[in-house]
């Protein structure tokens, strides 16, 4: 009974976070399409919501699974993998910035801002795929 209840709460929370993620994506795209200024908070909310959704999908509502031996191993391995992936991604984004984005935007360095958003999302995504490999 308790497991079914946790599964239901996990599903409900996932739907709510997913709905907010879709809403923020559509809202940001609409603002961009109509020429309204897209703020930093509009853009940063999307990776934060995606990070929360991936954490929920990966670990659920059971924090013990994340703290046990396998959870720590998954977290360590995903952190290691995501670090190297981030180094490569930042290097490639820097190259693109030097070649393509020579001008300044109202957001400043757009490529490095994208790298910040990528760094928020990458580790939970890697953890998700590693957790699925062990299950």
């Amino acid at each position: 009974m308790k497991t079914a209840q946790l599964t239901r709460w996990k599903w409900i929370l996932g739907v709510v976070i997913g709905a907010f993620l879709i809403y923020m994506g559509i809202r940001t795209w609409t603002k961009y399409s109509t020429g309204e200024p897209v703020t930093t908070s509009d853009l940063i909310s999307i990776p934060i919501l995606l990070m929360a959704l991936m954490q929920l999908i990966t670990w659920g509502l059971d924090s013990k699974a994340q703290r046990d031996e396998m959870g720590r191993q998954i977290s360590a391995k995903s952190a290691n993998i995501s670090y190297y992936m981030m180094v490569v991604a930042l290097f490639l984004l820097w190259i693109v910035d030097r070649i393509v984005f020579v001008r300044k935007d109202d957001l400043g360095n757009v490529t490095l801002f994208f790298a910040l958003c990528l760094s928020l999302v990458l580790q939970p995504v890697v953890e998700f795929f590693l957790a699925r490999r062990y299950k």
Side-chain angles (χ1 to χ4, degrees):
M1 183 96 168
K2 189 174 183 179
T3 305
Q5 207 171 27
L6 283 175
T7 304
R8 183 175 45 207
W9 278 108
K10 178 183 171 184
W11 188 83
I12 291 170
L13 191 58
V15 168
V16 169
I17 293 172
F20 276 129
L21 181 63
I22 291 169
Y23 167 74
M24 287 306 297
I26 291 172
R27 179 176 174 239
T28 303
W29 179 256
T30 303
K31 286 174 87 171
Y32 176 75
S33 298
T34 59
E36 291 181 52
V38 178
T39 62
T40 304
S41 62
D42 290 332
L43 294 175
I44 200 75
S45 64
I46 294 170
I48 288 173
L49 287 169
L50 188 58
M51 178 181 65
L53 185 63
M54 292 305 298
Q55 287 283 350
L56 180 69
I57 292 171
T58 304
W59 300 111
L61 299 173
D62 184 18
S63 62
K64 290 179 185 176
Q66 191 173 4
R67 289 189 311 243
D68 69 4
E69 183 64 34
M70 188 179 297
R72 286 194 308 257
Q73 184 178 7
I74 290 168
S75 293
K77 196 175 228 182
S78 66
N80 192 22
I81 292 170
S82 62
Y83 170 75
Y84 291 112
M85 291 172 70
M86 184 57 61
V87 169
V88 171
L90 286 172
F91 179 71
L92 292 176
L93 289 171
W94 178 76
I95 297 286
V96 168
D97 182 61
R98 298 298 297 157
I99 294 170
V100 177
F101 298 112
V102 178
R103 67 192 192 298
K104 295 286 185 195
D105 290 341
D106 57 344
L107 287 174
N109 191 333
V110 176
T111 307
L112 291 179
F113 181 76
F114 177 74
L116 170 65
C117 295
L118 184 63
S119 70
L120 291 171
V121 172
L122 189 61
Q123 199 222 3
V125 171
V126 172
E127 276 185 4
F128 168 74
F129 286 113
L130 283 174
R132 292 299 170 241
R133 206 167 105 190
Y134 285 106
K135 286 186 178 182

